Amino acid sequence: MIEPILRPARGPGRWDGVAELRYKEEGAPTFRDVTRRVLFEDAGGAQWRYFEIGPGGHTTLERHDHTHAVMILRGAGRCLVGGTIFKVDERDLVSVPPMTWHQFRAAPDAPLGFLCLVSVERDRPQLPTADQLAQLRADAAVDSFIRA
Amino acid sequence: MIEPILRPARGPGRWDGVAELRYKEEGAPTFRDVTRRVLFEDAGGAQWRYFEIGPGGHTTLERHDHTHAVMILRGAGRCLVGGTIFKVDERDLVSVPPMTWHQFRAAPDAPLGFLCLVSVERDRPQLPTADQLAQLRADAAVDSFIRA
């Protein structure tokens, strides 16, 4: 796909010629209120996406070998990366290393929209097994944060 | 280089742990009032940079085989891509195809800050020869826009 030279923004997180997509093809209830937009199919070898989580929603708790390079573009929320929960606001940069459990959650009263760069060629996300989930839940702060 | 997991934003176009760099190493007067920040050295195979042009400033008029995937993050201005001049505002997406002359200019009264994705492995930019410049200047609108 060749993108047009200019695609004007139409409000926060909306662009002419950029379709709203399902977050994941699978309908499994591992996430809540998340949309996906592909801004550039191939930005120098990376796929440039925009995700938006509605207030109170969350992405899937997962890990994979590929990295995420993230910039918060809209709203506020928190994210788990590894064993740590971070508060995130507009323009903050988040780096998710390989094989690191991560989950993004929007604030209760605000959406959380973020840019996320991944390699065009990448592995599929892994969901935690029951044992891995128990390990994560051993930390009280993580236990109360995650939705799985 | 491994980026920290979180680098908070400190105002528009500024982040903890992200250094302001020279736009180009060469000191040639092909640009005016431009800074560069590398947000992620390797974001899925792409280098993720932030450029900021001061009011009235401009980047170098150049072309190269690699593409640019751009999102305006701050301010307003115009850009030449190929033979067309586009007005750009916050959040607009700009795609610069291979071997296409391009130049970004900030508005007289506002900076122009933009995200720009390029492949980590890429060719060096080319400046226009006198003949190529004359060809570009054959168009009156382009002639009055470009700074070279």
Side-chain angles (χ1 to χ4, degrees):
Chain A
M1 184 206 158
I2 306 289
E3 287 89 8
I5 289 176
L6 179 69
R7 285 170 294 162
R10 297 295 179 211
R14 307 291 180 270
W15 293 268
D16 280 358
V18 176
E20 178 179 314
L21 304 173
R22 296 178 63 171
Y23 168 52
K24 289 180 185 292
E25 289 310 310
E26 310 85 57
T30 57
F31 59 90
R32 180 179 159 194
D33 196 4
V34 188
T35 57
R36 176 172 62 97
R37 287 168 171 81
V38 178
L39 305 184
F40 293 90
E41 289 285 358
D42 186 344
Q47 194 184 57
W48 187 346
R49 301 94 49 89
Y50 173 74
F51 294 93
E52 195 168 288
I53 313 171
H58 60 85
T59 60
T60 301
L61 172 64
E62 63 186 33
R63 69 177 186 181
H64 35 67
D65 198 48
H66 62 273
T67 61
H68 283 319
V70 167
M71 178 185 289
I72 309 301
L73 197 64
R74 181 184 185 196
R78 290 179 295 162
C79 63
L80 171 78
V81 181
T84 308
I85 296 152
F86 299 90
K87 196 175 173 307
V88 288
D89 282 294
E90 285 188 12
R91 309 296 170 93
D92 288 352
L93 304 174
V94 181
S95 181
V96 180
M99 292 308 279
T100 303
W101 296 112
H102 57 281
Q103 184 166 47
F104 286 80
R105 287 182 58 189
D109 55 353
L112 180 64
F114 57 92
L115 305 173
C116 179
L117 267 286
V118 289
S119 178
V120 169
E121 302 291 338
R122 59 188 181 276
D123 60 323
R124 289 185 65 82
Q126 302 172 8
L127 300 180
T129 64
D131 277 1
Q132 289 164 342
L133 203 52
Q135 272 188 292
L136 282 163
R137 290 202 183 281
D139 181 287
V142 173
D143 180 49
S144 71
F145 179 82
I146 57 179
R147 299 286 179 271
Chain B
M1 184 205 159
I2 306 290
E3 288 88 10
I5 289 176
L6 179 68
R7 286 170 293 163
R10 297 295 179 213
R14 307 292 180 269
W15 294 268
D16 281 357
V18 176
E20 178 180 313
L21 304 172
R22 296 176 63 170
Y23 168 52
K24 289 180 184 292
E25 289 311 310
E26 311 84 60
T30 57
F31 59 89
R32 181 179 158 193
D33 195 4
V34 188
T35 59
R36 176 172 61 97
R37 286 169 172 80
V38 177
L39 305 184
F40 293 90
E41 288 284 358
D42 186 344
Q47 193 184 58
W48 188 347
R49 302 95 48 88
Y50 173 75
F51 293 92
E52 196 169 288
I53 312 172
H58 59 85
T59 61
T60 301
L61 172 64
E62 63 185 32
R63 69 177 186 181
H64 35 66
D65 198 47
H66 62 273
T67 61
H68 284 318
V70 167
M71 177 185 290
I72 309 301
L73 197 64
R74 181 184 185 198
R78 290 180 296 161
C79 63
L80 171 78
V81 182
T84 308
I85 296 154
F86 299 90
K87 197 175 170 307
V88 289
D89 282 294
E90 286 189 11
R91 310 299 171 91
D92 288 353
L93 304 173
V94 181
S95 181
V96 180
M99 291 308 280
T100 304
W101 296 112
H102 57 282
Q103 183 167 46
F104 286 79
R105 289 182 57 186
D109 55 352
L112 180 64
F114 57 92
L115 305 173
C116 178
L117 267 286
V118 288
S119 179
V120 169
E121 303 290 340
R122 60 188 180 276
D123 61 324
R124 291 185 64 83
Q126 303 172 8
L127 300 180
T129 63
D131 278 1
Q132 289 164 343
L133 204 53
Q135 272 190 293
L136 283 163
R137 289 202 184 280
D139 181 288
V142 173
D143 180 48
S144 71
F145 179 82
I146 57 178
R147 298 287 178 272

